[in-house]
Amino acid sequence: MIPSIKARPAERADMPEVARLAAQLVRFHHALDPHRFLCLEPLEPGYERWLTRELDNPDAAIVVAERGGAEPALVGYAYGRREPRDWMSLRDACGAIHDIYVAEPARRLGAGATLLEAVIARLRELGAPRVVLHTAAQNAAAQRLFERFGFRRTMIEMTLEL
């Protein structure tokens, strides 16, 4: 039987587990390209402080994916914010998804799509006219998910080590 996955707004009590998941996301990216992606350990305390503060930010959206059953467990999270116009990026005001992560055991169960749908809905409620995100070039699975939701490629970041 496939466990049910539901998204809900994050709560303060979720923050230690959300911080653990956020640290896994950072470590994943760092493993893909340690020259590009920063990883300053320990990660969890800083993420817990930051994301707990963001719970009070009216422009932020933090949602968690919870696996149902006898012992419900958090299996992922998404973090986005309504962002102002950014002249340096030539980007108008938008909703930006900064993080989306699903723990390995819950992948391919629909948790990523559930989180993406929930964070997009929240950004829409906050008045975002569009949603932008960045994804690691090597993360083909995430790119397929985003494309299924209608995201299109608009920028390609390139890095040169000096």
Side-chain angles (χ1 to χ4, degrees):
M1 181 172 143
I2 296 175
S4 66
I5 306 285
K6 298 213 182 329
R8 63 171 174 78
E11 301 170 356
R12 281 191 175 359
D14 299 323
M15 288 302 104
E17 183 61 15
V18 170
R20 189 183 68 74
L21 293 167
Q24 288 178 6
L25 176 62
V26 171
R27 292 181 190 114
F28 167 76
H29 282 97
H30 184 72
L32 291 175
D33 186 345
H35 294 291
R36 165 57 180 87
F37 295 105
L38 184 66
C39 183
L40 299 174
E41 299 286 357
L43 295 162
E44 289 83 354
Y47 266 100
E48 186 171 350
R49 277 191 304 277
W50 171 255
L51 293 172
T52 299
R53 277 196 309 264
E54 285 293 88
L55 287 174
D56 295 327
N57 180 347
D59 289 327
I62 305 173
V63 294
V64 295
E66 194 169 51
R67 183 184 63 227
E71 296 180 38
L74 294 187
V75 296
Y77 82 104
Y79 162 57
R81 283 193 331 198
R82 190 174 55 167
E83 300 288 354
R85 176 176 290 154
D86 181 347
W87 285 99
M88 291 299 292
S89 297
L90 300 177
R91 191 197 70 223
D92 208 346
C94 65
I97 297 175
H98 296 290
D99 294 350
I100 183 165
Y101 185 77
V102 175
E104 182 60 43
R107 292 182 187 159
R108 292 167 294 287
L109 298 176
T114 299
L115 282 168
L116 192 54
E117 187 175 290
V119 75
I120 290 170
R122 181 66 184 122
L123 291 168
R124 182 180 287 119
E125 289 170 10
L126 292 173
R130 73 195 49 77
V131 177
V132 298
L133 56 78
H134 294 91
T135 180
Q138 304 94 320
N139 196 348
Q143 292 166 29
R144 284 190 301 273
L145 171 65
F146 302 144
E147 288 168 351
R148 280 198 322 265
F149 271 74
F151 284 86
R152 59 188 170 81
R153 295 168 192 261
T154 54
M155 291 292 293
I156 297 173
E157 177 184 90
M158 299 175 76
T159 301
L160 170 66
E161 297 302 322
L162 301 178

